[in-house]
C-alpha cells in the first residue's frame, strides 16, 4: 500500500508557500500575475476533498480563477516541479465511463485518465498522502468496475499471437496486466524519468497491490529474469486466461524454441505425450538458454513458474473434488440402509480408483469386510449409522430367500460392538443362529427336522463359526490368487501394447528424420551471383572450422562469428547455417560441460571424410585412458565420450 512518509508526497509548508506565491504574484515583470489566485482555487478544492473526493484539473482551475489555459498550465507546472519542495502536488486518478463506445478490448475506451492538483492544508503536515490515498481508492474501484462490467478477453488464439509477437520483439512485458494498467497512467505533465517514476510509486504500485488483494490481478515473481520489467508479473486473475497463457507459452516453446535447439543438435525429439506434462522438457531447454535469448528465456522461466502454480491448483482442486466425492458416497451409504458391494460404487460414472478406495475405507464411520466363496470375491462396506437398518434388511432377505450372505458379512464386521441397544443384537443373534442350521451334521439336522425343532444351540455356534471362517480364509486366498493373476495379465498386455505403440512412433520419427536429412542439402534457388556469394561464405566457414580442428580447437558458432569479423550477426549466422549448411556442416553438444561449451561444436563433413577415422581412433584412446585412470579428468572424458558418440553415429553415413 501507499507509504505515508514517501518523499515523493512532500510539499512546502503552507505558510511558507503562501508567502512564496504572493511574492511571485507581486513581481514587477508580471510574469506570475494571477498565480496567487490559482493557488487559492486549488486550496479551496483541496479543503473540500474529504466531502466530495474531487480535486481540480486545469480546466476547473481555469474556470474558477479566470486565468487563461496557457498561463494556468504554466503556473501549475512551475508550482509542482520547479519549486523545492513543491508548492502544489500533481496527482492522477482514473474514472470509469461505462457508456463510452470504442474497442471493448482496450481499457482506455472505458477508463479515462485525469490529472489533478492538490495544495495540502496545515493539518496534513506537509504531505499529500491522504489525497493520493483517496485518489488511488477511486482509481482501483474504477478498474474493478471496468474489470467486472466491461472488460473483454481477447481469446486464446489471439493471445497466442500477441505473446508470440511480443517475445519475438523482446517485449514480453507488454502482455502483462500491469503494463496495460500502467499505460492508463501516462500523464502529460510527466516529462522526465524522475517524474514518471514518482507517478509509478505514488499511484501504480499501490493500485496494483490493491488489485492483487482484491484478487482481480494474479502476481508472481520471476527473480531469474535478466530485465527488471520481467521480474514482477501481474496478469488478470481469471483461471481460464492463466491456463491459456500457460498453453501459449508451451506452444511457443514447442513451435519456436525447441525446433531451433533441435536443429542445432542440442535437444532430441519429443513425443506429443511428453508435452502434456512438460516440466522436465522446459527445465532441460532452459539450461541451454543464456541472456542472449532475451524474452525467449524469460518465457521459459515464467512457463515453469506457471506450471508449478497450475499443478498445485490442479492438485488442490483434485483434493477438493475427491473430498466432495467421498462426502457424496458417505451420504449415499448413510441412506442405503444395508451393506454395499465396494466394486459396485461409481464416481462420475467410473469405478473407484485404488486411491479413492483407500480414502473411503479410512473414514471412521465405515465398516469393511471381505467375503469369498469358490466362485466370487467381494468387498463390502457399511455406514455405522445403518447397522440397525442393515440387520432388518438381512432378516427380510433370509426370511424371503433363505439368503445368508448379509448375515455372514455383518458377523464378519462385528457390528454388535457398535450397537448400544440390546434389541438389534438379539435379532442378529437369532437370525444368525437360524442361518447356521444347514451347517449342523447331517443326522443332527435330520433328527431335529423330524421332531420339528430347526434350531442351533448356543454351544454349537462357535465351532460352526470356526469352520466357516476356516473355509472363508481358504476361499479368500484362492480368489485373491486368481485376481492377482488376472491383474498381472492385464498389466502385461498393457505394457506390450505400449511397447508396440512406442516402436511404431519411433519408426515414424526415424522416417521423418530420414526425410529431413534427405531434404537438408544446401538450398540453391537464387541468381548465379547469389549462389556464388552463398558458396563463398560456406567455403569461408568450412575453412575456419577445418583450421580450428587442425589446431586442436573445438569451434562453435561464437568462434565462427569472431573469425568472420562482423560479417554476420549471431542470428544471421544461425539462419545461414540452417538454410545452406545442409550436410556440409555437422554439430554435436559436449555433455555435462554446459558452462565451458554452451553451444554445439561444429565440424565440416569434408574434415570428417578426410580425418574421421583418425579422429575416431584418437577419441577412443582418450576415452579408454580416462576410464583406466584412478582419478580421471572429467572434462576430457566428457569431450571424448561426446565425440565418440557423434562419430559412431555420423561416420557410417558419410559417403567417401
Amino acid at each position: 500500500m501507499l507509504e505515508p512518509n514517501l518523499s515523493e508526497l512532500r510539499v512546502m509548508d503552507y505558510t511558507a508557500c503562501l508567502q512564496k506565491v504572493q511574492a511571485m504574484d507581486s513581481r514587477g515583470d508580471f510574469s506570475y500575475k494571477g498565480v496567487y489566485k490559482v493557488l487559492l482555487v486549488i486550496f479551496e478544492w483541496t479543503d473540500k476533498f474529504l466531502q466530495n473526493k474531487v480535486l481540480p484539473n486545469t480546466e476547473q482551475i481555469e474556470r474558477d480563477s479566470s486565468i487563461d489555459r496557457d498561463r494556468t498550465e504554466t503556473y501549475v507546472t512551475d508550482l509542482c516541479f520547479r519549486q523545492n519542495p513543491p508548492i502544489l502536488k500533481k496527482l492522477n486518478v482514473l474514472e470509469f465511463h461505462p457508456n463510452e463506445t470504442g474497442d471493448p478490448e482496450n481499457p482506455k475506451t472505458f477508463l479515462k485518465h485525469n490529472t489533478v492538483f492538490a495544495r495540502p492544508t496545515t493539518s496534513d503536515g506537509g504531505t499529500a498522502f491522504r489525497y493520493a490515498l483517496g485518489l488511488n481508492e477511486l482509481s482501483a474501484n474504477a478498474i474493478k468496475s471496468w474489470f467486472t462490467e466491461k472488460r473483454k478477453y481477447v481469446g486464446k488464439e489471439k493471445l497466442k499471437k500477441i505473446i508470440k509477437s511480443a517475445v519475438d520483439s523482446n517485449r514480453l512485458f507488454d502482455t502483462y496486466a500491469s503494463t496495460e494498467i500502467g499505460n492508463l497512467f501516462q500523464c502529460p505533465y510527466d516529462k522526465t524519468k524522475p517524474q514518471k517514476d514518482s507517478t509509478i510509486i505514488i499511484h501504480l504500485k499501490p493500485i496494483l497491490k490493491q488489485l492483487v488483494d482484491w484478487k482481480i490481478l494474479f502476481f508472481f515473481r520471476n527473480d531469474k529474469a535478466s530485465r527488471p520489467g520481467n521480474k514482477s508479473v501481474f496478469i488478470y486473475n481469471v483461471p481460464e486466461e492463466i491456463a491459456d497463457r500457460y498453453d501459449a507459452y508451451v506452444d511457443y516453446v514447442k513451435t519456436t524454441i525447441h525446433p531451433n535447439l533441435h536443429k542445432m543438435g542440442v535437444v532430441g525429439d519429443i513425443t506429443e505425450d511428453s508435452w502434456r506434462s512438460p516440466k522436465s522438457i522446459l527445465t532441460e531447454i532452459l539450461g541451454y538458454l543464456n541472456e542472449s535469448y532475451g524474452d525467449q528465456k524469460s518465457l521459459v522461466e515464467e512457463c515453469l513458474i506457471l506450471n508449478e502454480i497450475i499443478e498445485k491448483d490442479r492438485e488442490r482442486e483434485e483434493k477438493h473434488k475427491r473430498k466432495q466425492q467421498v462426502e457424496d458416497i458417505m451420504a449415499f451409504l448413510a441412506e442405503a440402509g444395508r451393506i454395499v458391494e465396494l466394486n459396485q460404487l461409481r464416481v462420475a460414472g467410473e469405478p473407484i480408483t485404488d486411491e479413492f478406495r483407500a480414502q473411503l475405507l479410512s473414514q471412521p464411520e465405515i465398516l469393511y469386510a471381505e467375503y469369498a466363496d469358490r466362485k466370487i470375491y467381494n468387498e463390502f462396506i457399511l455406514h455405522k449409522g445403518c447397522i440397525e437398518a442393515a440387520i432388518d434388511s438381512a432378516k427380510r432377505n433370509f426370511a424371503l430367500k433363505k439368503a445368508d450372505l448379509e448375515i455372514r458379512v455383518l458377523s464378519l464386521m462385528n457390528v454388535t460392538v457398535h450397537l448400544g441397544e440390546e434389541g438389534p443384537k438379539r435379532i442378529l443373534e437369532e437370525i444368525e443362529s437360524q442361518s447356521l442350521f444347514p451347517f449342523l451334521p447331517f443326522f443332527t439336522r435330520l433328527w431335529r427336522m423330524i421332531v420339528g425343532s430347526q434350531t442351533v444351540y448356543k454351544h454349537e455356534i462357535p465351532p460352526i463359526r470356526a469352520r466357516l471362517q476356516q473355509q472363508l480364509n481358504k476361499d479368500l486366498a484362492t480368489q485373491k490368487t486368481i485376481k492377482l493373476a488376472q491383474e498381472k495379465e492385464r498389466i502385461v498386455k498393457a505394457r506390450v501394447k505400449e511397447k508396440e505403440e512406442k516402436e511404431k512412433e519411433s519408426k515414424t520419427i526415424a522416417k521423418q528424420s530420414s526425410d529431413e536429412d534427405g531434404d537438408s542439402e544446401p538450398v540453391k534457388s537464387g541468381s548465379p551471383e547469389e549462389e556464388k556469394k552463398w558458396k563463398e561464405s560456406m567455403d569461408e566457414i568450412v575453412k575456419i572450422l577445418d583450421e580450428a580442428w587442425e589446431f586442436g580447437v573445438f569451434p562453435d558458432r561464437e568462434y565462427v562469428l569472431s573469425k568472420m569479423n562482423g560479417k554476420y550477426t549471431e542470428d544471421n549466422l544461425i539462419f545461414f547455417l540452417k538454410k545452406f549448411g545442409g550436410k556440409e556442416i555437422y554439430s554435436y553438444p559436449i555433455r555435462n560441460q554446459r558452462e565451458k561449451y554452451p553451444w554445439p561444436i561444429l565440424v565440416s563433413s569434408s574434415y570428417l571424410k578426410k580425418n574421421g577415422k583418425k579422429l575416431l581412433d584418437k577419441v577412443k584412446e582418450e576415452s579408454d585412458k580416462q576410464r583406466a585412470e584412478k582419478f580421471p579428468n572429467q572434462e576430457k572424458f566428457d569431450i571424448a565420450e561426446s565425440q565418440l558418440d557423434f562419430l559412431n553415429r555420423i561416420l557410417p553415413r558419410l559417403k567417401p
Side-chain angles (χ1 to χ4, degrees):
M1 299 301 289
L2 188 64
E3 294 292 333
N5 297 321
L6 282 174
S7 60
E8 288 82 0
L9 293 172
R10 302 302 299 176
V11 293
M12 187 182 291
D13 176 73
Y14 182 67
T15 304
C17 88
L18 285 179
Q19 295 172 351
K20 175 87 172 175
V21 176
Q22 281 178 331
M24 292 169 65
D25 199 339
S26 60
R27 280 173 51 171
D29 57 7
F30 301 108
S31 56
Y32 284 98
K33 191 67 176 176
V35 68
Y36 186 67
K37 191 172 184 181
V38 168
L39 176 67
L40 292 179
V41 166
I42 296 172
F43 176 77
E44 288 174 4
W45 280 87
T46 307
D47 195 38
K48 299 174 184 176
F49 180 77
L50 291 179
Q51 287 77 38
N52 56 25
K53 295 292 183 183
V54 177
L55 288 173
N57 56 22
T58 49
E59 290 181 5
Q60 292 161 328
I61 296 168
E62 176 191 4
R63 185 171 58 249
D64 290 0
S65 66
S66 301
I67 306 294
D68 64 76
R69 173 63 66 85
D70 290 342
R71 280 199 298 158
T72 299
E73 291 188 349
T74 300
Y75 292 166
V76 295
T77 301
D78 192 304
L79 298 179
C80 286
F81 303 118
R82 294 178 186 169
Q83 309 298 323
N84 188 23
I87 293 172
L88 299 180
K89 192 62 199 172
K90 185 272 300 178
L91 298 170
N92 301 269
V93 64
L94 297 180
E95 299 167 353
F96 179 51
H97 296 265
N99 298 322
E100 293 290 327
T101 57
D103 182 5
E105 294 177 359
N106 186 351
K108 289 186 177 181
T109 301
F110 304 104
L111 292 171
K112 305 300 181 182
H113 173 266
N114 193 9
T115 303
V116 295
F117 302 89
R119 172 52 249 181
T121 64
T122 53
S123 61
D124 289 312
T127 178
F129 169 72
R130 66 171 171 175
Y131 308 103
L133 188 67
L135 294 177
N136 286 349
E137 184 180 348
L138 295 174
S139 297
N141 282 316
I143 295 170
K144 183 179 180 181
S145 298
W146 162 75
F147 179 80
T148 55
E149 298 176 27
K150 290 294 183 179
R151 178 176 177 267
K152 182 181 178 183
Y153 172 45
V154 297
K156 184 173 184 176
E157 293 307 315
K158 189 172 180 180
L159 180 64
K160 280 185 180 180
K161 294 177 182 178
I162 291 171
I163 287 174
K164 184 180 188 315
S165 175
V167 175
D168 290 343
S169 305
N170 255 358
R171 295 184 63 85
L172 180 61
F173 57 82
D174 279 347
T175 68
Y176 302 157
S178 51
T179 302
E180 187 173 65
I181 293 171
N183 289 335
L184 297 170
F185 284 93
Q186 291 179 348
C187 177
Y189 289 90
D190 291 340
K191 304 295 185 183
T192 65
K193 187 177 185 304
Q195 290 169 357
K196 293 176 182 177
D197 290 344
S198 178
T199 297
I200 291 172
I201 292 169
I202 294 173
H203 296 294
L204 183 57
K205 286 186 176 181
I207 288 172
L208 290 176
K209 187 178 186 309
Q210 181 63 69
L211 295 174
V212 171
D213 292 342
W214 286 347
K215 300 190 183 304
I216 291 171
L217 296 182
F218 180 79
F219 167 76
F220 64 88
R221 286 280 298 175
N222 177 19
D223 291 317
K224 294 181 180 178
S226 55
R227 292 191 297 180
N230 294 108
K231 289 185 181 291
S232 296
V233 182
F234 294 83
I235 53 181
Y236 291 108
N237 191 23
V238 181
E240 176 195 358
E241 294 183 31
I242 296 174
D244 287 351
R245 175 175 285 269
Y246 172 71
D247 289 343
Y249 283 1
V250 173
D251 184 72
Y252 187 90
V253 176
K254 183 179 176 182
T255 59
T256 302
I257 299 176
H258 174 260
N260 290 340
L261 294 176
H262 183 264
K263 287 177 183 177
M264 291 162 56
V266 173
V267 295
D269 294 309
I270 298 174
T271 63
E272 193 64 33
D273 285 343
S274 299
W275 286 108
R276 292 174 187 167
S277 183
K279 183 177 181 179
S280 59
I281 299 172
L282 296 170
T283 304
E284 180 186 2
I285 286 175
L286 183 60
Y288 294 106
L289 304 181
N290 62 15
E291 304 306 329
S292 67
Y293 279 85
D295 277 359
Q296 288 192 358
K297 179 174 178 286
S298 296
L299 178 139
V300 177
E301 291 165 348
E302 289 182 23
C303 194
L304 277 167
I305 295 170
L306 285 176
N307 175 273
E308 185 176 352
I309 291 168
I310 287 172
E311 288 301 319
K312 284 183 179 178
D313 285 344
R314 285 175 181 168
E315 184 179 347
R316 187 163 50 248
E317 287 175 9
E318 187 63 32
K319 285 182 179 178
H320 177 74
K321 181 180 176 183
R322 193 157 55 242
K323 181 182 177 184
Q324 186 60 51
Q325 289 170 341
V326 170
E327 289 176 357
D328 291 343
I329 292 291
M330 290 294 289
F332 164 74
L333 295 173
E335 297 293 329
R338 57 184 174 82
I339 60 172
V340 176
E341 284 189 42
L342 193 58
N343 63 358
Q344 288 185 350
L345 293 177
R346 293 292 182 269
V347 175
E350 297 293 329
I352 62 174
T353 62
D354 291 341
E355 185 180 0
F356 187 90
R357 174 185 179 278
Q359 190 171 352
L360 181 62
L361 294 182
S362 68
Q363 302 300 310
E365 294 300 311
I366 291 296
L367 297 174
Y368 167 79
E370 294 177 295
Y371 187 83
D373 57 27
R374 293 176 183 178
K375 294 182 180 179
I376 61 168
Y377 168 82
N378 281 330
E379 295 175 285
F380 293 95
I381 55 176
L382 174 67
H383 194 285
K384 288 180 181 178
C386 294
I387 292 176
E388 293 185 21
I391 292 172
D392 290 339
S393 173
K395 181 180 178 180
R396 285 195 305 271
N397 283 330
F398 183 71
L400 292 173
K401 307 174 186 176
K402 295 299 178 183
D404 63 353
L405 175 62
E406 292 179 54
I407 299 172
R408 300 285 167 266
V409 172
L410 290 173
S411 178
L412 289 170
M413 290 179 176
N414 199 18
V415 295
T416 55
V417 173
H418 306 284
L419 285 172
E421 297 182 8
E422 292 297 323
K425 288 183 182 180
R426 285 197 299 271
I427 292 173
L428 181 58
E429 289 171 357
E430 181 184 336
I431 59 175
E432 183 184 15
S433 175
Q434 294 172 10
S435 70
L436 294 178
F437 183 78
F439 298 98
L440 288 169
F442 174 73
F443 289 108
T444 303
R445 276 186 290 132
L446 182 61
W447 173 252
R448 291 184 186 176
M449 289 171 66
I450 292 171
V451 299
S453 176
Q454 298 186 23
T455 58
V456 178
Y457 301 125
K458 281 188 177 182
H459 70 274
E460 296 173 321
I461 293 177
I464 295 175
R465 278 181 179 168
R467 291 204 321 271
L468 291 177
Q469 185 64 49
Q470 189 177 17
Q471 183 61 44
L472 176 64
N473 292 340
K474 289 180 181 179
D475 291 339
L476 283 172
T478 301
Q479 292 299 332
K480 284 182 179 180
T481 302
I482 294 171
K483 185 179 179 183
L484 185 61
Q486 291 173 342
E487 183 64 16
K488 284 183 178 179
E489 184 180 359
R490 184 190 66 79
I491 292 172
V492 169
K493 286 181 179 179
R495 286 178 178 172
V496 169
K497 185 178 179 182
E498 183 181 355
K499 184 179 178 182
E500 289 175 350
E501 289 176 352
K502 283 184 177 179
E503 287 177 353
K504 185 178 179 181
E505 188 175 348
S506 298
K507 289 178 182 178
T508 304
I509 292 173
K511 185 176 184 304
Q512 289 174 349
S513 300
S514 175
D515 293 342
E516 288 174 5
D517 287 345
D519 295 338
S520 62
E521 292 290 348
V523 178
K524 296 181 179 179
S525 57
S527 65
E529 292 80 7
E530 288 174 330
E531 290 184 12
K532 182 181 178 183
K533 192 180 294 183
W534 295 338
K535 188 176 185 308
E536 288 175 354
S537 294
M538 185 56 64
D539 289 344
E540 184 181 358
I541 293 171
V542 168
K543 183 180 178 183
I544 291 170
L545 295 177
D546 290 354
E547 287 178 352
W549 278 94
E550 286 296 330
F551 285 105
V553 175
F554 300 127
D556 58 12
R557 69 195 198 199
E558 290 184 349
Y559 179 87
V560 174
L561 283 170
S562 68
K563 294 292 184 180
M564 297 290 280
N565 297 321
K567 186 175 180 180
Y568 285 100
T569 64
E570 187 175 18
D571 289 341
N572 289 339
L573 177 64
I574 293 171
F575 175 79
F576 181 82
L577 292 176
K578 285 179 184 176
K579 190 170 183 182
F580 302 108
K583 292 186 177 179
E584 292 190 38
I585 295 177
Y586 289 94
S587 66
Y588 68 93
I590 301 293
R591 69 181 194 181
N592 303 326
Q593 298 292 331
R594 199 170 293 162
E595 288 191 9
K596 187 167 183 179
Y597 300 98
W599 310 115
I601 306 303
L602 304 177
V603 59
S604 70
S605 60
S606 59
Y607 185 85
L608 290 174
K609 288 176 183 178
K610 188 183 298 183
N611 304 290
K613 190 174 185 309
K614 183 171 66 175
L615 193 60
L616 181 62
D617 294 338
K618 184 179 177 182
V619 297
K620 277 183 180 177
E621 183 182 346
E622 181 63 34
S623 177
D624 293 340
K625 178 184 174 184
Q626 294 301 326
R627 286 178 189 276
E629 291 283 347
K630 187 175 182 181
F631 299 103
N633 185 310
Q634 187 64 43
E635 182 182 334
K636 289 183 178 180
F637 179 72
D638 288 333
I639 291 173
E641 283 294 295
S642 300
Q643 286 186 13
L644 193 59
D645 178 68
F646 168 71
L647 293 171
N648 283 330
R649 182 163 43 89
I650 294 298
L651 291 181
R653 295 163 54 182
L654 291 176
K655 297 177 182 178

